[in-house]
Amino acid sequence: MPVPVITVWSDIGCPWATLALHTLHAAAHRRGREISVDHRAFPLELFNRQPTPKDILDSEIVTIAAHRPELGWRLWGGRESHYPVTTLPALEAVQAAKAAEVGGLRAADELDTALRTAFYTDSRCISMHSVILDIAEQCEHLDTDALADALAAGRGRAEVFQQWRTAQGPQIQGSPHLFAPGGRAAHNPGVSYAWTGKPGQGGFPRLDHYDPSWADSLLDALTATG
């Protein structure tokens, strides 16, 4: 059976995207189904012209982690001065990892997952080049030396900015937005939530419902179409 490629537009610093990717990977692992994820950057800081505010991220992390404790997320436990102010270097590294000599889509997906774990669980500063390469060492199918060479040559940056320009079009609705074979697409799948007020002005995200079965439905559909 051919391995389907699922394209996911997201920011590593987006908790909703990290929830969606965890759900997708967990469903595929449970079913013994191999999938390939092609990560595309939806860089929130470029859209918003500012770092994603920590107070907004914290409230989203608490809301999601309380609802899905299996994620193992924690609030930032590192030094305040080590909090990542940008995710662009991490997004660029994921794009650079797609090159065949670095490891391809499989390595890029491993790195994306490891970077998210490093931020949401281990409180590591994924803005730092050295931290990104340390995390890359954990990735089974990734050549860390090749990634270091690629990043030193500036690879990954042009791809992130090109994807940012593409994501400004109407087809990409936000982070996360998934596209799969057969014309299937979903923005923030399985989530029913609303803010109780303006973020940063006393509002909090209220997660009314999360239905993880969207991932099984997607895998069923991909199996049916072969």
Side-chain angles (χ1 to χ4, degrees), residues 58-79:
D58 283 350
S59 63
E60 290 181 329
I61 288 169
V62 167
T63 296
I64 296 170
H67 201 278
R68 312 300 300 182
E70 69 273 14
L71 293 167
W73 292 356
R74 302 180 181 90
L75 287 174
W76 180 258
R79 293 169 58 182

Side-chain angles (χ1 to χ4, degrees), residues 131-157:
V131 173
I132 291 170
L133 291 181
D134 285 346
I135 293 167
E137 291 281 2
Q138 307 168 18
C139 300
E140 179 182 357
H141 298 94
L142 189 150
D143 185 325
T144 306
D145 291 336
L147 177 63
D149 290 343
L151 293 177
R155 299 194 185 104
R157 173 156 296 191

Side-chain angles (χ1 to χ4, degrees), residues 4-177:
V5 177
I6 301 170
T7 301
V8 180
W9 294 79
S10 77
D11 192 319
I12 290 172
C14 173
W16 302 105
T18 306
L19 170 63
L21 285 161
H22 172 86
T23 302
L24 178 61
H25 283 122
H29 178 75
R30 184 178 66 252
R31 296 161 64 113
R33 180 71 194 273
E34 186 178 358
I35 58 171
S36 181
V37 178
D38 183 0
H39 291 277
R40 307 289 176 88
F42 192 96
L44 293 169
E45 65 201 70
L46 296 183
F47 279 102
N48 298 327
R49 302 176 64 88
Q50 66 173 4
T52 301
K54 183 177 181 296
D55 58 341
I56 292 177
L57 277 183
D58 283 350
S59 63
E60 290 181 329
I61 288 169
V62 167
T63 296
I64 296 170
H67 201 278
R68 312 300 300 182
E70 69 273 14
L71 293 167
W73 292 356
R74 302 180 181 90
L75 287 174
W76 180 258
R79 293 169 58 182
E80 183 179 355
S81 59
H82 289 181
Y83 189 82
V85 70
T86 176
T87 60
L88 289 185
L91 293 170
E92 292 166 8
V94 171
Q95 295 306 309
K98 291 182 184 180
E101 64 272 18
V102 181
L105 288 183
R106 187 173 189 178
D109 189 32
E110 288 178 351
L111 180 59
D112 180 90
T113 299
L115 287 165
R116 291 174 192 271
T117 299
F119 177 54
Y120 292 95
T121 302
D122 302 329
S123 297
R124 302 190 69 183
C125 183
I126 59 171
S127 300
M128 291 292 297
H129 176 77
S130 58
V131 173
I132 291 170
L133 291 181
D134 285 346
I135 293 167
E137 291 281 2
Q138 307 168 18
C139 300
E140 179 182 357
H141 298 94
L142 189 150
D143 185 325
T144 306
D145 291 336
L147 177 63
D149 290 343
L151 293 177
R155 299 194 185 104
R157 173 156 296 191
E159 290 84 349
V160 166
F161 277 84
Q162 180 57 53
Q163 290 163 16
W164 172 45
R165 287 189 285 269
T166 300
Q168 293 174 42
Q171 186 181 17
I172 316 301
Q173 298 176 21
S175 173
H177 201 145

